[in-house]
Amino acid sequence: MASLLLLLFLSLLSSSSSSSSSSSSSEDLQKTFIVQVQYDAKPSIFPTHRHWYDSSLSSLPTTTATATATTAAATVIHTYDTVFHGFSAKLTTSQLNHLKTLPHILAVIPEQVRRLHTTRSPQFLGLKTTDSAGTLLKESDFGSDLVIGVIDTGIWPERESFNDRSLGPVPAKWKGQCVTSGDFTAAACNRKIIGARFFCQGYESTNGKMNETTEFRSPRDSDGHGTHTSSIVAGRYVFPASTLGYAHGVASGMAPKARLSIYKVCWNAGCYDSDILAAFDSAVSDGVDVISLSVGGVVVPYYLDAIAIGAFGASDHGVFVSASAGNGGPGGLTVTNIAPWVTTVGAGTIDRDFPDDVHLGNGKIVPGVSVYSGPGLGDPTRMYSLVYAGSEGGDGYSASLCLEGSLDPKTVRGKIVVCDRGINSRAAKGEVVQKAGGVGMILANGVFDGEGLVADCHILPATAVGASVGDEIRKYIITAEKSKSPATATIVFKGTRVNVRPAPVVASFSARGPNPESPEILKPDVIAPGLNILAAWPDKIGPSGIPSDKRRTEFNILSGTSMACPHVSGLGALLKAAHPEWSPAAIRSALMTTAYTVDNRNETMLDESTGNTSTVLDFGAGHVHPQKAMDPGLIYDLSSYDYVNFLCNSNYTVQNIQTVTRRKADCSGARRAGHTGNLNYPSLTVVFQQYGKHKMSTHFIRTVTNVGDPNSVYKVSIRPPRGTSVTVQPEKLVFRRVGQKLNFLVRVEAMAVKQLSPGSSNVKSGSVAWSDGGKHVVTSPLVVTMQQPL
């Protein structure tokens, strides 16, 4: 009995010790934080801020919570001096708590890991290559001497899209540098790529030293995403250009003569906030005019968002920041990069696609899309057995998705396999089918994906089909099985098709509003081409992006808001070149107020996921129209102080505002002056909480600046959202000079929506447009949301 009690005691002691060890280890695990300091509080004894930061960290404890072991001393990862003041470091909970007690520490922000938001488009946008006076390309000299900073996965500099022929000297203002290494020599930079840096300290502080057999410790691109986005934003004219014979023609970026500075922040495990903020800091210090960022993550308040903080600092220095809206569509509340000082870009289609037909054994022909070039399926009349891996053999649910190792070769060998979208990449599913002996693949959308299709460079004969077609094919397979007549099919590839109607269409994957952090600010701002976009591609990566793909191509076709964003970044550079005096807000205003919402059938743009009419929550102000944006007539301008007032009216604390803006704000006057909807934004958005009320009202105050003709008169045209009454005072704006500012007031009254269930909302849209009766129509979307509180 005594021995049993002793064993029980020892067991409990061991359990307690294990529990205590587990608890303390979680507390003593170091995590990366971004730390804001009071920059001007540096004691004179320290020669630099870095010395001061090192001293602050050296004072932190290195013993664990239980004092039974030591943890690594905290060290600086990055320092920030331009868009943000402070540093990043890995800290335990106890070190973090100790650091917060130091008087010069203003804020501590946990690091996020971001993800990438993974050509005919200049022609589709109306950017003609002629030298005709009055065109945006001519007036901006094709973006010459403007510098675009691309924060992404790096670049493959040898591509012809980045040649520097006929370019002048590097702009005298430039202060950046080309960081070289064994695989990225000084010759990688030229008069086109005038800067290149990489930031991996944050990535390595979390993941350990990178594997340099799979990644380059340099600005060189080992992924392809950064090369692609860089050539969209500023690639030179290249002919011939194509991907495996598809999309043959001339490829060029939006601003062909603009200079590029590359900031590599994304690695195999993602893009780390501490590195992203360092890239913003360097880019602004180097002297870029535009920053293009096709990266995003979870939406958090602005004072916890390193991208929002970095972008504010850039905007404060006069840099236009364009960011991708995200690929979380078609669901609502999926938009990211939603700060009002960032131009947020969704994705639309262009008038080109890559169709194919799936011929079924029952005689039906259904449509799909693909960029497949290789040994086909032979005679179009030859049919192959067709199977849905999720219904026979294999590993059930995993097999339906064609995950690695899930398919039974006995079931799929020699057959065309239907795979569901989800979890692994679309191209990787084809590799799984090929390994199992399948001869082809039909990739079917799920219900959430809807009818939106993305053409991929598959490694075997394969096509993508919409959700409804996928259902039809699966039903055919089931029916055939029941009739004891095996299902059959083949895929017939039809190459490149242009002049497609309708176009543009809002891409299914494009993230949608409303804005989850600031509902009174409409996001995305605009959409731009983002589906099946041709652009430059690295030499050592196959077009499908999977390691087994040994094909090589100078250009590749990709889709995503990642591709839409650099279109707008390039347009921002062209507008800045044509109008050097314009602020980042002025550039965004010009793009938004001249955007269009109708397709090439002259009907409202469709939503690709449903085939129904799209809404302002899908496309924001509309699809960009570069030529009209060059001469918008009026602009809605904003200063950094306007954004401070916006944050005040968003009920941010003074400390929160200082974290974002590096300013000590006095919110007393701002909060008396109005509400968040009064930010001088080019769109007008209100959210009414019904609370049993019968009628609700609000007002907007806006200021427009004349950038058109000196003597001009604008009259207002109102299209009120259904169920609302809208008035504008005055109804006429009379300008006497360029640069003159005039105010107007918009009043909105809305009736309560009946039978609105708790927690639900009803969104209606209209517009307020100012026209001078001639060449200028300045349009602002007006969005009214009726919300029934829980």
Side-chain angles (χ1 to χ4, degrees):
M1 181 67 176
S3 61
L4 285 173
L5 288 172
L6 178 61
L7 285 171
L8 178 61
F9 172 75
L10 290 173
S11 174
L12 290 171
L13 184 63
S14 173
S15 173
S16 173
S17 173
S18 173
S19 173
S20 173
S21 173
S22 173
S23 173
S24 65
S25 65
S26 66
E27 288 186 3
D28 297 324
L29 181 68
Q30 285 188 320
K31 298 178 182 177
T32 301
F33 294 88
I34 296 168
V35 182
Q36 186 180 42
V37 302
Q38 188 174 333
Y39 201 67
D40 57 5
K42 179 182 73 68
S44 58
I45 191 174
F46 297 107
T48 67
H49 281 83
R50 174 61 187 260
H51 287 90
W52 183 32
Y53 302 155
D54 286 338
S55 176
S56 298
L57 292 180
S58 68
S59 70
L60 303 182
T62 57
T63 56
T64 64
T66 57
T68 58
T70 60
T71 189
T75 57
V76 170
I77 297 173
H78 289 293
T79 61
Y80 312 105
D81 302 299
T82 305
V83 301
F84 184 79
H85 293 153
F87 61 93
S88 51
K90 286 188 73 175
L91 304 166
T92 64
T93 301
S94 59
Q95 289 171 336
L96 175 64
N97 292 336
H98 188 91
L99 187 70
K100 287 179 177 178
T101 66
L102 301 181
H104 56 280
I105 302 301
L106 299 179
V108 179
I109 304 165
E111 179 169 64
Q112 272 197 70
V113 183
R114 314 286 180 143
R115 303 294 173 191
L116 299 165
H117 287 151
T118 292
T119 225
R120 182 176 166 80
S121 48
Q123 181 182 346
F124 180 71
L125 288 168
L127 289 174
K128 308 297 185 185
T129 59
T130 69
D131 283 342
S132 304
T135 65
L136 179 55
L137 284 173
K138 177 65 175 177
E139 293 301 311
S140 65
D141 190 23
F142 297 80
S144 181
D145 291 347
L146 267 288
V147 184
I148 303 172
V150 181
I151 300 177
D152 212 297
T153 67
I155 195 167
W156 198 268
E158 292 81 9
R159 283 305 182 221
E160 189 64 16
S161 295
F162 309 122
N163 78 73
D164 65 353
R165 288 189 296 274
S166 77
L167 291 180
V170 173
K173 67 173 185 177
W174 183 243
K175 294 181 270 184
Q177 67 180 94
C178 187
V179 177
T180 61
S181 70
D183 59 66
F184 199 91
T185 66
C189 290
N190 53 20
R191 295 190 307 274
K192 179 65 174 178
I193 303 172
I194 63 172
R197 301 178 186 267
F198 66 98
F199 304 86
C200 60
Q201 294 94 319
Y203 164 59
E204 290 190 316
S205 71
T206 298
N207 298 279
K209 190 175 181 181
M210 75 175 68
N211 180 356
E212 294 187 43
T213 64
T214 60
E215 299 188 88
F216 299 111
R217 186 183 291 277
S218 76
R220 186 171 291 280
D221 186 6
S222 59
D223 177 271
H225 190 274
T227 301
H228 202 268
T229 56
S230 295
S231 68
I232 292 172
V233 74
R236 307 300 303 276
Y237 291 104
V238 180
F239 178 84
S242 69
T243 297
L244 308 176
Y246 287 81
H248 187 273
V250 177
S252 76
M254 295 296 99
K257 285 188 178 181
R259 316 308 174 101
L260 285 168
S261 187
I262 304 304
Y263 301 89
K264 180 178 176 180
V265 301
C266 294
W267 308 87
N268 285 351
C271 322
Y272 287 74
D273 271 357
S274 55
D275 294 334
I276 293 172
L277 190 58
F280 268 106
D281 209 58
S282 291
V284 175
S285 179
D286 289 345
V288 303
D289 301 287
V290 171
I291 289 176
S292 186
L293 179 73
S294 292
V295 172
V298 177
V299 173
V300 294
Y302 305 128
Y303 60 87
L304 295 176
D305 186 343
I307 290 177
I309 292 168
F312 183 93
S315 175
D316 194 36
H317 283 80
V319 177
F320 175 76
V321 180
S322 170
S324 50
N327 297 341
L333 288 166
T334 51
V335 65
T336 66
N337 294 323
I338 40 73
W341 45 86
V342 172
T343 299
T344 310
V345 188
T349 68
I350 61 175
D351 60 345
R352 178 188 66 200
D353 65 8
F354 310 107
D356 55 52
D357 287 334
V358 178
H359 294 242
L360 300 176
N362 61 4
K364 289 189 176 181
I365 300 175
V366 294
V369 298
S370 180
V371 182
Y372 173 73
S373 178
L377 294 172
D379 185 343
T381 62
R382 179 184 175 184
M383 306 296 280
Y384 294 81
S385 294
L386 177 67
V387 296
Y388 174 49
S391 63
E392 57 178 281
D395 186 20
Y397 175 68
S398 296
S400 71
L401 294 164
C402 296
L403 302 183
E404 184 67 36
S406 66
L407 300 183
D408 181 358
K410 295 178 182 177
T411 303
V412 305
R413 185 175 289 115
K415 301 176 182 178
I416 294 176
V417 182
V418 178
C419 301
D420 294 338
R421 273 182 69 174
I423 301 184
N424 57 340
S425 76
R426 298 181 298 271
K429 294 176 188 293
E431 183 181 37
V432 172
V433 171
Q434 187 181 64
K435 284 180 179 178
V439 298
M441 176 182 70
I442 298 172
L443 181 60
N445 282 358
V447 174
F448 181 79
D449 302 306
E451 304 307 314
L453 298 180
V454 177
D456 294 301
C457 296
H458 292 287
I459 63 171
L460 84 170
T463 182
V465 299
S468 59
V469 170
D471 288 341
E472 184 176 347
I473 293 173
R474 282 186 286 264
K475 287 177 183 176
Y476 161 60
I477 293 172
I478 293 170
T479 302
E481 288 174 350
K482 289 179 179 179
S483 65
K484 306 299 182 183
S485 174
T488 59
T490 192
I491 306 169
V492 178
F493 301 98
K494 303 173 74 174
T496 303
R497 179 174 63 175
V498 296
N499 299 316
V500 172
R501 294 165 68 91
V505 171
V506 179
S508 178
F509 56 77
S510 186
R512 316 299 168 96
N515 186 327
E517 175 64 13
S518 301
E520 298 82 5
I521 303 297
L522 179 63
K523 292 285 182 174
D525 292 307
V526 290
I527 64 169
L531 184 74
N532 300 332
I533 303 301
L534 178 77
W537 192 247
D539 189 43
K540 293 187 178 181
I541 305 169
S544 68
I546 56 179
S548 65
D549 187 358
K550 303 305 179 185
R551 298 171 298 174
R552 296 295 179 258
T553 178
E554 186 168 349
F555 294 88
N556 200 4
I557 294 169
L558 297 183
S559 298
T561 55
S562 279
M563 285 64 250
C565 167
H567 280 88
V568 170
S569 307
L571 295 179
L574 294 179
L575 292 173
K576 183 71 173 178
H579 302 283
E581 73 284 3
W582 278 11
S583 69
I587 293 171
R588 178 178 58 242
S589 174
L591 290 166
M592 290 178 67
T593 61
T594 59
Y596 60 90
T597 60
V598 296
D599 58 29
N600 52 10
R601 306 168 305 162
N602 204 33
E603 297 179 19
T604 301
M605 288 187 290
L606 299 181
D607 179 348
E608 187 191 29
S609 68
T610 63
N612 298 327
T613 301
S614 57
T615 73
V616 289
L617 298 183
D618 305 326
F619 54 67
H623 193 286
V624 291
H625 192 308
Q627 194 59 40
K628 285 189 175 180
M630 188 183 75
D631 183 16
L634 305 175
I635 57 170
Y636 294 84
D637 211 352
L638 285 162
S639 70
S640 294
Y641 289 100
D642 293 317
Y643 294 126
V644 170
N645 289 340
F646 164 79
L647 293 173
C648 285
N649 286 319
S650 299
N651 293 319
Y652 276 41
T653 67
V654 171
Q655 184 175 356
N656 293 157
I657 295 171
Q658 188 173 4
T659 300
V660 176
T661 68
R662 310 182 314 283
R663 289 171 169 80
K664 293 181 179 178
D666 177 6
C667 287
S668 56
R671 286 176 178 150
R672 285 197 303 269
H675 53 85
T676 52
N678 271 341
L679 180 70
N680 199 43
Y681 214 71
S683 56
L684 306 157
T685 306
V686 60
V687 179
F688 286 124
Q689 302 288 343
Q690 293 199 157
Y691 289 114
K693 298 175 184 176
H694 179 63
K695 181 186 291 187
M696 291 140 287
S697 65
T698 191
H699 70 277
F700 301 93
I701 299 171
R702 290 292 187 268
T703 302
V704 286
T705 305
N706 182 24
V707 295
D709 301 324
N711 294 293
S712 52
V713 178
Y714 285 82
K715 294 181 180 179
V716 72
S717 173
I718 304 168
R719 187 170 59 86
R722 189 157 50 88
T724 69
S725 171
V726 180
T727 60
V728 176
Q729 295 176 325
E731 297 180 349
K732 183 168 66 174
L733 298 174
V734 180
F735 293 94
R736 300 301 183 201
R737 66 182 187 279
V738 173
Q740 183 179 356
K741 298 177 184 291
L742 292 176
N743 301 328
F744 64 92
L745 183 142
V746 180
R747 294 187 185 278
V748 179
E749 289 187 350
M751 304 297 293
V753 176
K754 297 179 180 179
Q755 298 177 335
L756 199 59
S757 59
S760 63
S761 60
N762 179 280
V763 181
K764 301 297 179 185
S765 65
S767 63
V768 172
W770 294 95
S771 172
D772 61 1
K775 60 183 177 180
H776 299 118
V777 179
V778 186
T779 305
S780 293
L782 172 58
V783 186
V784 175
T785 299
M786 308 299 294
Q787 203 165 67
Q788 184 67 45
L790 289 170

